[in-house]
Amino acid sequence: MKFRITLVFLLLVFLANSQQNKPYRIRTIAFYNLENLFDTENDSLTFDDDRTPEGKDQWTHERYRKKLDHLSRVLSEIGSSTSKTSPDIIGVCEVENRKVIEDLLHHPNLITKDYGVVHYDSPDERGIDVALLYKKKAFLPTSSSSHRLVLINEDGERNYTRDQLIVGGLLDDEQLFFIVNHWPSRSGGEARSRPNRMAAAKLNKHIIDSVQRLDANAKIISMGDFNDDPTNDSFKKVLKTVGKVSQLEGKDLYNPMEKIYKKGIGSLAYRDQWNLFDQIFFTQNLLQPLEGSYTFWKAGIFNAPYLVTKKGRYKGYPKRTYSGGSYTGGYSDHFPVYIYLIKPVLHP
């Protein structure tokens, strides 16, 4: 009898350990504001004059190549401590055109990853766009569109800004939709510029609603530099994001970045205060562990030591390319953010 009890106990322990050690496939979804990734040529149709060799920033070919060196290293390492590889999906913003994206992806740090690109030109006055990068072996795009955000300023004139990009496709064999955002800045003050971001939030909500009208069970991930924190009205009142799983209701969107923000952690700093403008949120069906489907695991901010300013007035801030009008040869004024999606491997 004692032997049988011991045998049953050992069997239960074995089964429990087997569940814990079950192999999972991990897919990393990341977002990174590349901080003015411009080429060195002057585009007569946009305000890019500063980012030329003769411009205020003295943006030379050497500085451009160094920027590519730096950004390609970061993109190759986001989330790799766990996934052991670069992200499968990367949303980016502040890219001037497709050429700079191609230059970045052809860098030795990334060329072997075989990334594809979905990019549309936006009407932004500075000529900066958003784009989605994806590993061709992991994701197959099946649809994409660029949605214009129409803003009118106090003088009744058009305020040209970035489009919102949505890309649908198969992550392995599962349908997912990704939205890439770069909402209007806080130039002129947070309160004065707030209506622009509220309008951006309404457009984002409209895009999500449109997809869900066609497929109520669609899995949608929205990411970007929102120029708002997770607790701002654009998120809480318009998008109706929720930071606690236990409080989700109806069609609420889950924002894992809210918990990170409330711990005082951010992706960029201004006047000694951290903000978490860079966020990834999603439909709550990505929290449901269904067999053969991807499920959200955890979120993070990639703030490796080499991305952090080591000394001076901006010690602890992201190490940017220009600081105080002077070239500092850094990476970006934002840290990247990421989430992991996982699903059990049925036949390892």
Side-chain angles (χ1 to χ4, degrees), residues 252-348:
D252 288 342
L253 299 164
Y254 180 62
N255 188 356
M257 316 308 290
E258 186 174 327
K259 186 182 298 183
I260 296 174
Y261 175 66
K262 288 182 176 179
K263 292 179 180 178
I265 304 171
S267 58
L268 73 159
Y270 180 67
R271 294 182 177 176
D272 295 329
Q273 179 177 335
W274 283 96
N275 292 102
L276 187 46
F277 291 169
D278 306 274
Q279 303 176 53
I280 303 174
F281 63 93
F282 45 84
T283 49
Q284 57 182 282
N285 50 9
L286 276 160
L287 297 170
Q288 301 167 2
L290 301 175
E291 185 175 343
S293 295
Y294 278 109
T295 306
F296 168 74
W297 179 29
K298 60 181 178 179
I301 298 174
F302 184 69
N303 52 3
Y306 67 85
L307 290 175
V308 181
T309 303
K310 298 296 188 294
K311 58 184 179 180
R313 177 183 175 186
Y314 300 110
K315 182 179 179 180
Y317 287 26
K319 188 176 181 182
R320 55 194 302 168
T321 308
Y322 286 85
S323 180
S326 300
Y327 177 72
T328 51
Y331 298 78
S332 171
D333 53 347
H334 293 242
F335 292 136
V337 295
Y338 62 93
I339 64 170
Y340 292 122
L341 301 181
I342 60 171
K343 71 175 177 180
V345 178
L346 301 179
H347 303 288

Side-chain angles (χ1 to χ4, degrees), residues 159-171:
N159 180 6
Y160 293 94
T161 187
R162 282 77 60 178
D163 292 348
Q164 294 182 18
L165 170 66
I166 181 168
V167 181
L170 299 176
L171 184 62

